Amino acid sequence: MFVINCPYCGEREQSEFKAGGEAHIVRPKQPTELSDDQWAEYLFMRKNIKGIQFERWVHTHGCRKWFNVVRDTSNDEITAVYKMGEKPPTNK
Amino acid sequence: MTKKLRVKTSKFIDETYKISFKFNGKTYYGYKGDTLASALLANNVHLVGRSFKYHRPRGIMTAGSEEPNAIVQLHKNTSRTEPNVRATEIEIYEGLEASSQNCWPSVNFDIGGINNFLSPLLPAGFYYKTFMWPASFWEKYEYFIRKSAGLGKSPTEPDPDIYEHKYIHCDVLIVGAGISGIMAAKIAAKNGFKTLLVDEKSYLGGSTIYQNSEHFKINNQISSSWLDKEISEIKKIKNLKIKTRTSVAAYHGYNFLLARENLTDHLPLEQRKNKIRQRLLKIRAKKVITATGSLERPLIFDNNDRPGILLSSAVEKYANFFGVACGEKNVLFTNNDSAYETAISLFQKGINIETIIDNREEIDSRLIKEAEKNNIKIYKGYTVVDTSGYKRINKISIMQLSKDGQKVVGSKISITCDCLGVSGGWTPAVHLFTQSGGKLKFRDEDQVFIPNIYSSDQISIGSCNGDFTLDEILLNIPNTLKEFLDLKKTDYENLEVKSSFNKSKRNIWLLPSDKLVGKTKPFVDYQNDATAKDIKLALREGFRSIEHVKRYTTTGMGTDQGKLGNMHALGIISETAGSKMGELGTTTFRPPYTPLTFGTIVGRNVGEYFDVFRKTPIHDWHVKNKAEFENVGQWKRAWYYPKDGENMHDAVQRESKAARDSAGILDASTLGKIDIQGSDASEFLNRVYTNAWSKLAIGKCRYGLMLNEDGMVYDDGVTTRLGENHYIMTTTTGGAATVLGKLEDYLQTEWPELDVYLTSVTDHYATVSVCGPNSKKIVSQIVPDLDFSDENFPHMSFKNAKIGKIKCRVMRISFTGEQSYEINIQANYGKSVWEKCMEAGKEFNITPYGTETMHLLRAEKGFIIVGQDTDATMTPIDLQMDWIVSKKKFDFIGKRSLYRSDTIREDRKQLVGLLTENPDEVLEEGAQIVADIKKSPVEMLGHVTSSYYSPNLKKSIALGVVRGGKKMMGQKLIIPMENKEINVTVADPVFLDRENKKLNA
Ligand SMILES: [Zn+2]
């Protein structure tokens, strides 16, 4: 069980949060314009990498805010947290 | 008690406090401070159990948590019974009753022992090879395997003890209170760190605390006296907390550790009442210092498992700490200096020790000189090749080792003994370190794995870090901790240490014998009966990965997790396969380090606290009126209200009929309620529901369907427009939390530009729903100031109203197809409104109904229940609800998915009604639906999702999903059951009042 530094509340136990999958997948503005394949790309395809992953978390049992986390999926090390809408940290 | 075996008094044993206990039905005596093992040894009992596979007699082998053999069942056939307790760990108390495991009918005569003679038939992988084929025999095999296997018996009664969980946060956690842990605790705590020191034993000081030899001194004091003073000093430090009888079970990421604190297991049973037995500590430490020590290795030779064969360090501890001689004629067998420490201890205590067999040829140290001075005969360059004695060792045979250690030479010498102490050197206890994600490295000089790369803020000190001698430990700790804790100075600079230990060692993983390997039984894993022969066989059969060999031979898989034999298994594999130890890696040490009880894991979450549950404000009324309840999510919902001994069916039939004939009343408070406000509220609803919301007039209600982005139905409910920018949404009872979460997700991440605010108000309102042709007459009495005319208050509209002085919202909406009104009122008035309705409805025979009747009534109308008639594979089109999907809206969640190639398939499973040929026959929910029963294999078209006997239609009705069902109207299908086939016809899912006349009647 790891500790997540909520950008709004500070450090809390993982059990207060819920993971929301890969970050920075933007919902298409005009879904009707997309082919089945393009829509499927948005809907189903995820990288699921071993290593540094950008992902979404929500502080369910806290402020209920969504934010982004940079986590190494091989050892759970979290190197950055940042709010929704903010640019992901570079050089990482 | 055999007097001779209890030797010179030990300060750790209180001989004025005598304790009686039972082992295998016989009464024995011991003293306060004894473990079950030490007390049994003092009574000359070595044979305590039988091995797992061969049922060989086994005795106490160690003096700690690494014990593989002496595992016992406590308090058999009582609610407090516990299997797999290590006799070496349990402290005796008055009334303790223990018995051997894995033997039948008794430890002295065991029928399974015949496996020992059949052992040529039970090689590694025997179970895999033999019981795999033919598969149909498995049931028979399983019966015999289960009967003859298994370690101990689980209790059959509820656990009478109390357990709890506790969170602890600290700056520094130190695991292990041996000399290293004590020193680390003093350094950390005195420098202001909030420190926690834990140890699995009942006392502090590890193995140094009973070290009485002149050969080990610190600042010119015998090491135990020096440590004693340190211990009394650290006990006074305020920011240091010490917990004994506390075993760390698991070391997870981010320095999160689980430990079990044992609070009452050492007390007599009658003193345990109302006390917490064990506590699961959830420790979050900023820094962790592991000082878990090391485990002595056995030596691997033929018949090395007989009762009376112990680790040399255990023989020493029983003598020094417990004042017990393990035998009257003791022999030691070693490949390093440790056994000489034991020999000197025995000598000092007046215990007979005549012979030491040492693998090493050329040896010289102060310890050895002292042994020789005391006329102990040392066989240098010799090895034990065999032992004898069935239930207790009585003789060993030794031979000289060849120069390369691969063979034995010369003639055999026989030595009689009743106890053999063995020492194969030491293995650092790195289990917690590896659990934390740390990587080990192999040190060739003494053939040990030691911590190398840390993956958390952690350091290993003392012998778990491979520092085995007193001078190494004491000189390294101050420097290591200065760096780890960022300190300038410690209390332990310039200690003067005298250590006579010589580090030389002759490591031979599998000692040679005059017999062929196939003819010997050199045990590597005692508990699982895995021998060196089994490991070699696995390699011959092609296994190479250490993890595979482990599973195939079951080496290291018992309750002791191979604490003793794992290194030898690795050594034998690498020697046989010709690979290097360091390259081979180790097996994974899995938590828990020592087994945990289920009670500790569960803590207080038992009985009614097993899970939280939610009650509506009207709950007490339902209880008082004898409702049966069902769990819906976390809610307790009234299921049905049996009257005068009615069964469920009769009650539901009565309730359903009353609701349509006159009036029914339902507690709908559990429905999720979300208050939605903001200037973009209408736009938001447009995006989350499939239908259009912009034109909904204030004061009107609308049913909505919510999809996932993949187009599948997710939730449904009625939403009411309370004002220009104000809505109240209802969700399903079970879906409330996830719907709110999903809406918040979209608002925060996809559409942050929308001005919308969501508030969960589920618990704020009680909802009383009155339905039936007389509902208006009843509700209008409760809310007298409201105009209930159909013109003013039509179906699907809402009114603000008052009951007395209390504001409420009345909605005219229906889930039953009957005219019905829902009163939403501040939760604490819910019960009073319910009672008023009951009072006003008396003349109309108002009938409370529960969720089962609600389900039946809505099924008559063909209304779906999300989660019952749908799973996550049904689109609104599949549900024949095309009418609710807006064609005009540019976008809504899931819209694009509704015309993917997969979702437009015509042979998808679709919701249909099902009518049975025999109107009295009610289908089973979940039953399979087929068209052609003769086709092989039978093709499954779908299944029944809802099924009831309708008292209003006087026939059986059902809903189901059928592949291509929409186009099958009127077609005959078959429901095959265990002993019959039921004929059904596909029908319109709306069975009653298709024109909705009743809503406005
Ligand atoms: Zn937060």
Side-chain angles (χ1 to χ4, degrees), chain B residues 680-866:
Chain B
D680 293 317
S682 303
E683 172 60 19
F684 181 61
L685 291 175
N686 263 335
R687 297 187 190 184
V688 299
Y689 278 129
T690 61
N691 46 350
W693 289 80
S694 318
K695 288 186 188 133
L696 183 69
I698 294 167
K700 296 290 180 192
C701 316
R702 183 166 284 173
Y703 173 76
L705 207 55
M706 221 179 262
L707 310 184
N708 265 325
E709 207 67 270
D710 62 4
M712 304 304 156
V713 171
Y714 176 74
D715 204 76
D716 68 345
V718 170
T719 293
T720 303
R721 190 165 196 174
L722 302 172
E724 177 62 29
N725 297 324
H726 191 186
Y727 291 83
I728 184 141
M729 171 188 281
T730 59
T731 73
T732 59
T733 296
T738 45
V739 168
L740 178 70
K742 182 177 152 121
L743 300 184
E744 286 177 329
D745 184 354
Y746 274 89
L747 267 183
Q748 289 180 34
T749 66
E750 299 293 350
W751 308 318
E753 71 280 7
L754 293 185
D755 175 41
V756 177
Y757 303 89
L758 306 173
T759 310
S760 166
V761 292
T762 304
D763 293 303
H764 304 45
Y765 293 94
T767 305
V768 177
S769 171
V770 182
C771 80
N774 288 316
S775 57
K776 188 187 285 185
K777 289 176 198 153
I778 297 164
V779 179
S780 59
Q781 288 180 57
I782 313 292
V783 199
D785 297 337
L786 193 58
D787 176 2
F788 275 85
S789 67
D790 288 344
E791 302 73 52
N792 180 57
F793 197 177
H795 180 56
M796 293 306 264
S797 62
F798 117 93
K799 298 286 171 196
N800 280 312
K802 272 186 175 177
I803 299 175
K805 285 180 187 167
I806 311 303
K807 283 196 264 180
C808 66
R809 291 172 183 157
V810 186
M811 275 106 174
R812 185 171 169 184
I813 51 178
S814 174
F815 189 42
T816 60
E818 292 299 320
Q819 197 178 117
S820 83
Y821 298 88
E822 278 188 8
I823 304 169
N824 286 275
I825 192 154
Q826 194 179 310
N828 48 333
Y829 295 107
K831 192 165 159 238
S832 140
V833 169
W834 177 278
E835 283 164 345
K836 274 182 194 295
C837 289
M838 288 302 295
E839 187 59 33
K842 231 177 206 167
E843 57 175 310
F844 304 105
N845 182 35
I846 190 168
T847 301
Y849 66 92
T851 50
E852 191 62 22
T853 292
M854 174 184 86
H855 287 182
L856 190 157
L857 295 172
R858 63 87 206 179
E860 288 177 337
K861 280 292 292 175
F863 293 151
I864 58 153
I865 290 191
V866 173

Side-chain angles (χ1 to χ4, degrees), chain A residues 1-3 13 25-27 29-32 34-36 39 42-44 56 64-66 76-78 84, chain B residues 253-254 256 284 709-710 740-741 744-746 748-751 890-897 899-901:
Chain A
M1 198 163 62
F2 42 98
V3 173
E13 295 277 324
I25 296 174
V26 182
R27 188 173 187 274
K29 284 270 175 290
Q30 300 192 314
T32 45
L34 302 182
S35 69
D36 270 11
W39 180 246
Y42 159 71
L43 199 55
F44 302 121
R56 299 164 1 112
R64 295 191 69 84
K65 285 285 199 181
W66 282 91
D76 286 338
E77 193 192 344
I78 293 172
M84 280 295 159
Chain B
Y254 285 66
F256 182 66
R284 184 75 75 175
E709 207 67 270
D710 62 4
L740 178 70
E744 286 177 329
D745 184 354
Y746 274 89
Q748 289 180 34
T749 66
E750 299 293 350
W751 308 318
F890 171 69
D891 191 15
F892 56 82
I893 297 172
K895 179 179 166 108
R896 175 61 186 83
S897 290
Y899 55 93
R900 288 178 55 236
S901 58

Side-chain angles (χ1 to χ4, degrees), chain B residues 651-678:
Chain B
V652 170
Q653 294 289 307
R654 172 181 52 76
E655 290 171 13
S656 302
K657 193 119 183 37
R660 291 221 190 274
D661 289 349
S662 179
I665 180 167
L666 172 83
D667 181 358
S669 308
T670 62
L671 285 185
K673 302 178 237 354
I674 301 169
D675 185 277
I676 302 173
Q677 301 193 38

